[in-house]
Structure formats: structure tokens, C-alpha cells
Amino acid sequence: MRNRDDEQIGAVSALVRGAFLVNAVYTESAREHGITSQQGQLLCVLMAQPRGMSELGAMLGLAKSSLTGLVDRTERNGLVRREPDPQDMRAVRVALTPQGGALAEEFYAETCRRVEKLTAGLSPAERDALAGLLGRVVLDNEVPVVFLELAEGAGRDR
């Protein structure tokens, strides 16, 4: 039996395994809310504001056809709607419907709660150090804001 204190994981392995861990939590939370994890990602991205299709594709890392299918399915479920882009009448923006906004708030809050539990074994100082280091990695790699900070999300007017 391995002693946890003796096991060392390198940065690459820790990041990859951490991504799998967070993705598993995200997928489980989405399933319990009756959506796919990609639909959950779309709802979370739209919590801040409506977005154009090109912007959504870049943020979610999806090809145009994949994004169109995702928006179509989510729209059929009554969670998002397409609306004219006031800056470019040839384009559309995707926005949350009232039903989608409510589901996004619930999904976001539950996903935050579950992800936060992953660090329950860390001290407050260790959680701060982890957030600082991961935050630097995210900022240095210009990762788009696909998930709001906990204080910015659920319960706020947009």
C-alpha cells in the first residue's frame, strides 16, 4: 500500500489528472441537471452575457459545425435563443432564455460546490497557493473566461 506522503506527481501529470478530475465532476453535475457537459459549458459561458457564434467557437474550442449543433440542441431544449447581433445584422448572438438562465445558475452553483470539495484536504494557505499557481498558468496561456469566479456567478444580475 502506498503512503500518500511518499508519492510525488510531476506538474504535467498533476495538471492532466487534475483536468480529468474536474471534467468528471463537471460531467456528473451536468448529467444530474439533464444536460451534457458541453451544454453546461455553453450555459456557463453565456451567464456573463450573450455571445456571437465566432466568439463562442473560440472560447469553447469548437469548430463551426460542432458549435452550430450544440447551439441547435440547446435551443431545442429551450435553454438558449439566437438573437440579432446589434453590431452586425448579418450575425447572431446566443443568449440564455429565462429557463436557461435558471438552469445555468443551478448548474453553476452545484458545480462550484463539487469542485470546491476537491480541495477539502488542503489548508486555506494551500488552497490559496494552488489558486495562485493555477491562476498564473491560466493567465500566461490566455485561457478565455469560460467559468466565472464564484463571487461573480450565481445570484447576480446581468
Side-chain angles (χ1 to χ4, degrees):
M1 181 173 212
R2 283 183 164 170
N3 179 345
R4 284 179 52 185
D5 294 333
D6 293 338
E7 189 173 338
Q8 290 292 325
I9 299 175
V12 171
S13 182
L15 283 169
V16 171
R17 290 170 69 181
F20 272 88
L21 179 62
V22 171
N23 282 335
V25 169
Y26 210 86
T27 299
E28 180 182 341
S29 183
R31 187 178 318 113
E32 290 177 11
H33 283 86
I35 57 177
T36 66
S37 60
Q38 278 193 320
Q39 288 173 324
Q41 290 171 347
L42 176 63
L43 297 179
C44 286
V45 166
L46 295 173
M47 285 178 72
Q49 66 187 34
R51 309 261 184 195
M53 293 291 281
S54 296
E55 183 181 14
L56 282 173
M59 292 178 84
L60 297 173
L62 295 174
K64 187 177 180 179
S65 61
S66 297
L67 178 63
T68 299
L70 173 62
V71 172
D72 286 347
R73 289 186 302 278
T74 311
E75 187 174 38
R76 276 195 302 273
N77 291 337
L79 303 175
V80 300
R81 68 177 180 277
R82 288 176 169 95
E83 57 187 33
D85 185 331
Q87 309 302 315
D88 181 355
M89 293 312 289
R90 298 167 297 166
V92 296
R93 293 185 323 172
V94 180
L96 293 172
T97 62
Q99 178 187 351
L103 181 60
E105 295 280 348
E106 292 172 20
F107 172 74
Y108 172 84
E110 179 61 21
T111 302
C112 284
R113 186 187 66 73
R114 290 176 185 211
V115 172
E116 194 167 25
K117 279 177 54 176
L118 297 176
T119 62
L122 301 178
S123 71
E126 289 170 325
R127 277 193 297 279
D128 288 346
L130 177 64
L133 293 170
L134 286 175
R136 277 187 34 210
V137 170
V138 166
L139 293 174
D140 288 350
N141 288 281
E142 300 176 4
V143 177
V145 179
V146 294
F147 202 82
L148 299 173
E149 288 295 322
L150 189 55
E152 297 178 73
R156 285 183 41 133
D157 294 323
R158 281 178 296 284

